Amino acid sequence: MNLDPRIAEVTDRVRARSSAARSAYLDRIRRAGEAGPARAHLACGNQAHAYAAMGEDKPALAAGRAPNIGIVTAYNDMLSAHQPYERYPDMIRAAARRVGATAQVAGGVPAMCDGVTQGQPGMELSLFSRDVIALAAGVAMSHNTFDAAVYLGICDKIVPGLVIAAATFGHVPAVFIPAGPMTSGLPNDQKAKVRQQFAAGEVGRDKLMEAEMASYHGPGTCTFYGTANTNQMLMEFMGLHLPGASFVNPGTPLRDALTVAGVERAAAITALGNDYRPAGEILDERAFVNGIVGLMATGGSTNLVLHLPAMARAAGIILDLDDFADLSETVPLMAKVYPNGLADVNHFHAAGGLGFMIGELLDAGLLHGDARTVAGDGLDRYRREPKLIEGRLVWQDGAGKTLNDRILRPAKDPFQATGGLRQLVGNLGRGVMKVSAVAPEHRVVEAPARVFHDQADVRAAFQRGEFTSDTVVVVRFQGPKANGMPELHSLTPTLAVLQDRGLKVALVTDGRMSGASGKVPAAIHVSPEAADAGPLARLRDGDRVRVDAARGTIDVLEPDFDARPAATADLSGNKVGIGRELFEAFRRNVGPATEGAAVVV
């Protein structure tokens, strides 16, 4: 199938915009690659330090002829998604030895759980943790003794931070190895219902805790289609996973076999062999366009509208919100996974999953089929699915048709003709909305504004019964410069209660929402942010605001709006406590949300 002309147009635009930056980047990584295996240039003392604890692998490491794989791990057991990684280093070292390679844990990176910090001060460190992860992975790789790297990470900021590092060390091949989603627990819609009942005072905390524990119940990624699982989709669409690796459950023989295969592939694509695949060459404009196509087709997390531009900049690629908007207008929404529907990612995978979706999008000309991947040249092999047959890992043809059209549909018969995200532009700035989870009748809200500077104040006003009519809830001074751009997901049950009462309600904020958020229309990432004297800082209680996802606009309808002075806020409380004082330099130097709200790129 020929490439859709609209996909080609966006790709050409990205390529032209990125020409100078990408050329300089490729020159840099090619010079690094031409220097040859790094260990050959280390002094004997340097090498002795690197190999001192490596036991039986010492001779192979000292000889310098076997590929050495660096393991960068985000393991901790605070994150259910990352707990399975505890045993991966031993598995990876053993797999490397079997193919004549070696492997070392190069370093660990922090991995915070947004589910734990949601609505808490620690959430103000969440977005910045992406840049810290990139820095920490950079420190790990700076030992310069690795011919390839495997990256162990899954959740919200972890994968984007690791990709930034992999791109920075773009001369080193990189394979991303997932751990898979937890098995299905309490259905997500039932969990959401209990949250709303608790917000409305209809059930006690005991029932809420019971529901939460039944939903988040074991090792593996949370099963809704939030940022973590969107990351996994992206790694497959962008060619950094092995085909079909994303959604196989932890602790299964197939999961282990895929991990071993990832290690074998990392050893095979180093500069020491005949199939050198540096990460920086895989991460080109085609890979990022393919990633955005996957984001739109699956109705993925809005957080990736922040992360993808930051990831791309690390590889010399410049993305703009217009690229997301144009691709969203071109790509159909083919999946309904919670919060866009009732299914979870296990149901999605069983219905045909990413293999079916990639095949459909390739046949429709909506993906760059010629993109390079860690598995080989071209995306066509990502139609196939891994199976363990008589103890041997093989890839076979995947589902040729959807196995459940309530979850997954073909490109010619989608849930909606356009993608899951919508750019909003108006006199309040530029923002984004996840429309795939919002019913059509709720996508346009025009109502008086109620302005807050703290999400806790919104919940307090709700408890006092102050929301009795249609309202646009504005929570400002939540951008990256103000307080690190926390997610405001804890507002979702409160606003959903108001919507269920028949009120027209929308959220407008320069902060973020969780990838699990939906149902209530939320104009998020509004930029310029209020702390940068953006238009949000001129809003007042009672101003008529129109949030129109159908037309892609966000406006205040007051004639004197442009002439008003910008309000200021006391942000001193955001600067101390729970580690926030350590991030003052980040708040001072962070870029705008439209460019990824990044510090290090």
Side-chain angles (χ1 to χ4, degrees):
M1 173 64 71
N2 292 328
L3 189 66
D4 185 288
R6 294 163 295 181
I7 303 294
E9 178 185 351
V10 172
T11 307
D12 289 343
R13 186 171 73 207
V14 173
R15 186 181 293 116
R17 184 193 305 135
S18 309
S19 177
R22 180 67 175 172
S23 178
Y25 170 80
L26 288 174
D27 181 62
R28 187 168 68 249
I29 68 167
R30 282 169 183 160
R31 281 188 281 111
E34 288 166 2
R39 296 191 308 288
H41 306 295
L42 293 180
C44 292
N46 298 142
Q47 293 191 58
H49 279 285
Y51 313 150
M54 291 304 294
E56 65 182 279
D57 292 321
K58 279 185 181 183
L61 284 163
R65 291 186 292 271
N68 188 34
I69 300 169
I71 305 166
V72 180
T73 178
Y75 161 72
N76 67 41
D77 52 19
M78 174 64 74
L79 277 77
S80 60
H82 289 201
Q83 187 274 342
Y85 284 142
E86 183 174 14
R87 64 189 188 92
Y88 274 40
D90 285 340
M91 195 188 315
I92 291 168
R93 283 189 285 264
R97 290 186 195 112
R98 287 196 292 271
V99 293
T102 56
Q104 297 177 278
V105 174
V109 303
M112 68 184 294
C113 181
D114 288 357
V116 175
T117 59
Q118 200 67 248
Q120 306 297 323
M123 175 52 72
E124 295 177 17
L125 309 186
S126 172
L127 181 58
F128 289 148
S129 75
R130 178 193 65 194
D131 293 54
V132 174
I133 289 159
L135 291 168
V139 171
M141 292 300 294
S142 72
H143 293 102
N144 206 22
T145 62
F146 306 112
D147 301 288
V150 293
Y151 290 91
L152 311 183
I154 291 171
C155 290
D156 301 55
K157 269 63 57 189
I158 295 100
V159 165
L162 293 175
V163 170
I164 290 170
T168 303
F169 288 80
H171 63 290
V172 180
V175 176
F176 280 63
I177 297 181
M182 70 176 68
T183 56
S184 301
L186 180 74
N188 288 293
D189 60 320
Q190 293 184 31
K191 173 194 67 183
K193 181 179 179 180
V194 176
R195 285 180 175 178
Q196 289 180 225
Q197 289 173 329
F198 179 75
E202 296 171 5
V203 300
R205 191 176 183 86
D206 58 335
K207 293 296 182 184
L208 178 64
M209 179 61 80
E210 181 182 323
E212 298 286 358
M213 295 289 281
S215 180
Y216 307 119
H217 64 88
T221 314
C222 305
T223 60
F224 56 81
Y225 195 54
T227 310
N229 286 316
T230 302
N231 285 338
Q232 301 310 292
M233 174 278 298
L234 277 173
M235 293 302 92
E236 202 146 326
F237 269 77
M238 293 174 67
L240 293 175
H241 274 179
L242 292 183
S246 297
F247 298 133
V248 175
N249 300 123
T252 62
L254 179 57
R255 175 83 277 156
D256 288 353
L258 283 164
T259 299
V260 169
V263 178
E264 293 171 348
R265 191 60 187 155
I269 60 176
T270 74
L272 296 172
N274 298 318
D275 191 18
Y276 180 40
R277 292 179 178 273
E281 293 185 9
I282 288 174
L283 290 168
D284 65 6
E285 64 281 348
R286 295 170 299 177
F288 283 100
V289 168
N290 284 348
I292 298 173
V293 169
L295 181 67
M296 300 306 169
T298 58
S301 168
T302 53
N303 277 321
L304 273 300
V305 181
L306 287 172
H307 297 323
L308 276 163
M311 293 154 62
R313 280 178 179 272
I317 304 292
I318 312 300
L319 299 178
D320 186 84
L321 285 184
D322 288 341
D323 304 325
F324 290 84
D326 290 349
L327 291 171
S328 185
E329 287 298 315
T330 305
V331 177
L333 178 67
M334 298 167 57
K336 276 196 173 292
V337 187
Y338 188 86
N340 306 347
L342 298 181
D344 67 22
V345 292
N346 292 311
H347 304 137
F348 167 78
H349 186 63
L354 294 180
F356 169 79
M357 179 170 278
I358 288 172
E360 283 287 310
L361 291 166
L362 284 170
D363 291 343
L366 295 172
L367 287 171
H368 288 279
D370 60 345
R372 295 191 78 191
T373 79
V374 297
D377 291 339
L379 266 187
D380 202 58
R381 67 190 71 241
Y382 285 77
R383 299 172 183 262
R384 298 167 70 81
E385 63 178 296
K387 293 186 178 179
L388 205 56
I389 298 178
E390 296 182 352
R392 189 169 66 92
L393 180 63
V394 297
W395 275 265
Q396 297 184 340
D397 290 341
K401 61 180 182 179
T402 176
L403 302 180
N404 188 332
D405 63 7
R406 293 173 297 174
I407 299 171
L408 187 58
R409 288 188 180 175
K412 292 181 179 178
D413 182 28
F415 291 102
Q416 65 183 44
T418 56
L421 300 178
R422 178 65 52 86
Q423 182 181 206
L424 305 175
V425 180
N427 65 359
L428 278 174
R430 298 172 82 186
V432 66
M433 181 186 293
K434 184 173 181 175
V435 294
S436 55
V438 179
E441 64 269 23
H442 295 307
R443 293 181 184 176
V444 179
V445 177
E446 183 179 320
R450 182 74 187 276
V451 181
F452 299 88
H453 292 175
D454 189 295
Q455 58 181 311
D457 292 340
V458 180
R459 294 192 295 270
F462 171 80
Q463 294 295 336
R464 293 192 297 267
E466 294 179 8
F467 296 110
T468 57
S469 59
D470 296 349
T471 308
V472 173
V473 176
V474 177
V475 188
R476 65 189 181 190
F477 295 100
Q478 304 297 308
K481 287 188 176 181
N483 64 351
M485 205 178 187
E487 290 183 346
L488 307 178
H489 179 54
S490 63
L491 294 179
T492 299
T494 298
L495 299 178
V497 169
L498 297 177
Q499 184 172 274
D500 288 348
R501 290 175 180 172
L503 300 181
K504 286 275 190 180
V505 61
L507 175 69
V508 174
T509 181
D510 46 10
R512 298 182 294 130
M513 290 295 278
S514 165
S517 300
K519 185 172 179 177
V520 176
I524 60 177
H525 307 179
V526 176
S527 184
E529 64 175 289
D532 214 15
L536 281 180
R538 299 198 298 272
L539 268 177
R540 298 171 183 165
D541 282 342
D543 283 348
R544 200 85 185 167
V545 173
R546 182 177 178 86
V547 178
D548 190 335
R551 294 177 56 224
T553 59
I554 175 172
D555 293 291
V556 58
L557 309 178
E558 302 296 334
D560 67 334
F561 180 68
D562 290 338
R564 294 179 189 172
T568 59
D570 179 4
L571 301 176
S572 60
N574 300 328
K575 296 183 178 182
V576 297
I578 317 297
R580 287 179 287 184
E581 46 271 86
L582 299 174
F583 286 81
E584 177 61 27
F586 282 64
R587 290 188 291 270
R588 283 200 308 266
N589 293 288
V590 67
T594 49
E595 298 177 8
V599 178
V600 299
V601 291

